[in-house]
Amino acid sequence: MATLKVPSSVPPADEDSEQLRKAFAGWGTNEALIIKILAHRNAPQRKLIREVYASTYGEDLLKDLDAELSNDFQRAVLLWTLDPAERDAVLVNEATKRLTSSNWVIMEVATTRSPQDLFKARQAYHARFKRSLEEDVAYHTTGDFRKLLVPLVTAFRYEGEEVNMMLAKSEAKILHEKISEKAYNHEELIRILTTRSKAQLNATLNQYNNQFGNAINKNLKEDPKDEFLKLLRATIKCLTSPEKYYEKLLRLAINKMGTDEGALTRVVITRAEVDLALIKEQYQKRSSIPLDRAIAGDTSGDYEKMLLALLGHGDL
Amino acid sequence: MATLKVPSSVPPADEDSEQLRKAFAGWGTNEALIIKILAHRNAPQRKLIREVYASTYGEDLLKDLDAELSNDFQRAVLLWTLDPAERDAVLVNEATKRLTSSNWVIMEVATTRSPQDLFKARQAYHARFKRSLEEDVAYHTTGDFRKLLVPLVTAFRYEGEEVNMMLAKSEAKILHEKISEKAYNHEELIRILTTRSKAQLNATLNQYNNQFGNAINKNLKEDPKDEFLKLLRATIKCLTSPEKYYEKLLRLAINKMGTDEGALTRVVITRAEVDLALIKEQYQKRSSIPLDRAIAGDTSGDYEKMLLALLGHGDL
């Protein structure tokens, strides 16, 4: 389901590392070469390149990329080059800072990564920021947002497919009851959404639909502008069909007056090795134009080339 | 700080495994031999013995021990033989069951294990119970207890020694404010206790003492019988001086009319490889008799021998 394309025979890491060094040398930077290499290597390969680069030249590849590149292209390349766990740690950390704060980014990382990968992001957070991910999230959020986000980021959900149907029925009832009472921040509702396995949650939401004749997200539309309700709906979507959540995020980012590069970059970078092919399919279905054409229409230069490369374009 | 004694030259696991098999054979069980072996092997060694036993005899050593032994001795040997992470998973699981429910056991596992070991217990919980540890804790607790215990068990605290003194001062103030208002279940108080690193928490509690002239646990004694306040005080003790918490637990278990074998077994088994030597020292200081003599006076038979062996007695 990934869109990332890796050549059938990948050069050894020391060769890649040397090529990157050359791309930085002399007048100007060879952006095309940077894309050709980095946008066609998977996470373990990029990690190895970073290690070899550091041991060969005594410098951090990320620092050199940071110095050589700029703007949206720079951010895309830096985020992409980071190890996925470290990247998630960085994204959440930014999302807890005042100027770049985003409950959405925190929610995305907490819900769309596998339980094991979420834990790896928490480990990377320790190593990089000398604090725990949840202490920063808890400290920088308040009220209902904190009530939802802290258990989301600390969850280590069970991943098996086993489903308890009795429980699904009773918890669908609890959800419906709380939503009918407009108790959207009720601890039982939060408990169910933040602790149950995705398989169990799916069964519960199907039961909800069957018993009450409406999808839960329909019933959570009381006030379409309420920010907490929006986040709650998005959380449910991310837990059950992340590709639909990401498709919509891309659609809004592209259709916006002045593209939302932050969201566009984030989705392409974090999903290219995961499910971007699925998101692309979803996009084509929903918007009747291919995602790559939409992105090409809204972006330009090296930034455009980088995103399209991650979508599977370009020479290998 | 452990009391466990392992012989300088440990027999190979297949020999231990064969000896255990012999201890079960024929009329009666050779309990002394079981103690001689298992009570003098560390966690990786016991794990290896279990693996070799299973592959040699096609049976689970734990099942055979379960069948051969009984009562307090049985429980002590079974809990001891389990891998620490699996044991913690079992203890928490029992603690969420109606008949054996215990907020204290859940709190202990959440606070006195290292962050990494707590996570291993969560992984073991998945494997053994096909659910997440936190979903069972959240489901089986209510009110203030849930509010405290769920973030405690899901925490992955930072383990470094770095301390932010400004933060320690401001959070000491928040704690004092909430306690003065008797808002013991306030989300800010819970946030601080459940997310901060032990080093940071320590600094905050020292600040509390300096700024307000009282240890925080003194100020949490409003109503000495309030169960939530008791648990809150114990949580703070476990996070700052676990050996004092365990010393008191042992003292109460031994002095009780009819010893509390549940607590006695749990402390000896879970701490023998960690800090039981420290707890023992603390006990001697506080009660003026050695812990092993106190235990010998209150227990008997193989159960007594097992506990004393874990306290460092017996032939190697």
Side-chain angles (χ1 to χ4, degrees), chain A residues 189-201:
Chain A
L189 187 149
I190 305 263
R191 172 184 66 77
I192 295 167
L193 294 182
T194 59
T195 69
R196 294 305 184 192
S197 74
K198 290 184 184 178
Q200 180 67 34
L201 213 47

Side-chain angles (χ1 to χ4, degrees), chain B residues 58-272:
Chain B
E59 294 185 57
D60 184 352
L61 174 61
L62 283 166
K63 287 224 171 98
D64 285 350
L65 288 167
D66 189 47
E68 296 287 333
L69 313 178
S70 59
N71 303 329
D72 294 328
F73 178 56
Q74 179 195 53
R75 180 166 168 86
V77 173
L78 289 177
L79 281 180
W80 174 250
T81 307
L82 280 170
D83 190 58
E86 212 180 345
R87 182 202 298 145
D88 283 343
V90 167
L91 289 172
V92 172
N93 183 257
E94 285 178 1
T96 62
K97 299 274 183 234
R98 205 160 50 86
L99 292 174
T100 48
S101 81
S102 165
N103 294 323
W104 290 73
V105 172
I106 298 171
M107 179 280 292
E108 267 174 32
V109 171
T111 54
T112 66
R113 277 47 165 174
S114 74
Q116 199 60 49
D117 284 347
L118 175 57
F119 183 70
K120 283 186 193 156
R122 295 171 77 187
Q123 287 183 301
Y125 204 101
H126 280 203
R128 193 171 173 119
F129 301 109
K130 309 289 171 200
R131 288 188 304 277
S132 77
L133 186 150
E134 67 264 27
E135 83 182 290
D136 282 356
V137 170
Y139 189 59
H140 293 283
T141 54
T142 53
D144 290 346
F145 295 97
R146 178 194 280 176
K147 243 178 129 172
L148 175 64
L149 292 172
V150 175
L152 275 184
V153 298
T154 53
F156 179 59
R157 296 177 198 261
Y158 178 61
E159 276 190 288
E161 292 302 320
E162 297 91 340
V163 160
N164 178 336
M165 282 310 292
M166 292 280 288
L167 195 67
K169 280 180 193 166
S170 69
E171 295 197 335
K173 228 176 200 159
I174 296 176
L175 291 176
H176 187 257
E177 201 179 288
K178 298 311 164 196
I179 292 173
S180 306
E181 295 164 0
K182 303 192 181 173
Y184 306 119
N185 66 356
H186 193 280
E187 57 165 327
E188 279 289 276
L189 187 148
I190 305 262
R191 173 184 64 78
I192 295 167
L193 294 181
T194 60
T195 68
R196 293 304 183 193
S197 74
K198 290 183 185 180
Q200 180 68 35
L201 213 47
N202 221 47
T204 300
L205 298 179
N206 282 332
Q207 278 300 319
Y208 188 103
N209 223 326
N210 298 345
Q211 283 182 49
F212 308 108
N214 250 334
I216 188 170
N217 269 357
K218 279 251 160 68
N219 292 347
L220 284 171
K221 270 199 177 139
E222 164 70 11
D223 174 359
K225 286 201 172 153
D226 181 306
E227 285 297 320
F228 179 67
L229 277 187
K230 267 198 215 168
L231 186 66
L232 207 53
R233 290 196 302 272
T235 302
I236 291 170
K237 217 168 175 181
C238 277
L239 288 167
T240 52
S241 359
E243 71 287 357
K244 288 188 188 163
Y245 167 84
Y246 281 117
E247 181 278 328
K248 188 173 175 190
L249 196 59
L250 281 177
R251 187 154 34 90
L252 296 176
I254 293 172
N255 292 345
K256 227 179 182 173
M257 216 131 56
T259 310
D260 177 353
E261 285 86 4
L264 181 55
T265 301
R266 190 173 82 243
V267 179
V268 173
I269 298 295
T270 60
R271 309 314 288 180

Side-chain angles (χ1 to χ4, degrees), chain A residues 76-175:
Chain A
V77 173
L78 289 176
L79 281 179
W80 174 250
T81 307
L82 280 170
D83 190 59
E86 213 180 345
R87 180 201 300 147
D88 282 343
V90 167
L91 288 172
V92 171
N93 183 257
E94 285 179 359
T96 63
K97 301 271 183 237
R98 207 161 48 86
L99 290 175
T100 48
S101 82
S102 165
N103 293 324
W104 291 72
V105 171
I106 298 171
M107 179 280 291
E108 267 174 33
V109 170
T111 53
T112 65
R113 276 49 165 172
S114 75
Q116 199 60 48
D117 284 347
L118 175 56
F119 182 70
K120 283 187 194 154
R122 295 171 76 186
Q123 288 183 302
Y125 205 99
H126 280 203
R128 193 170 172 119
F129 301 108
K130 309 289 171 200
R131 287 188 306 277
S132 76
L133 186 150
E134 67 264 27
E135 82 182 291
D136 282 357
V137 169
Y139 189 58
H140 293 282
T141 54
T142 53
D144 290 345
F145 294 98
R146 178 194 280 177
K147 243 178 130 173
L148 174 64
L149 291 172
V150 175
L152 275 184
V153 298
T154 54
F156 179 58
R157 296 178 198 262
Y158 178 61
E159 278 189 286
E161 290 303 319
E162 297 89 340
V163 161
N164 179 335
M165 281 310 292
M166 293 279 288
L167 194 68
K169 280 181 193 166
S170 70
E171 295 197 334
K173 229 177 198 156
I174 296 176
L175 290 176

Side-chain angles (χ1 to χ4, degrees), chain A residues 17-34:
Chain A
S17 158
E18 200 188 322
Q19 290 294 308
L20 286 169
R21 189 72 176 180
K22 276 188 192 152
F24 304 151
W27 280 85
T29 303
N30 187 344
E31 285 86 0
L33 185 56
I34 294 174

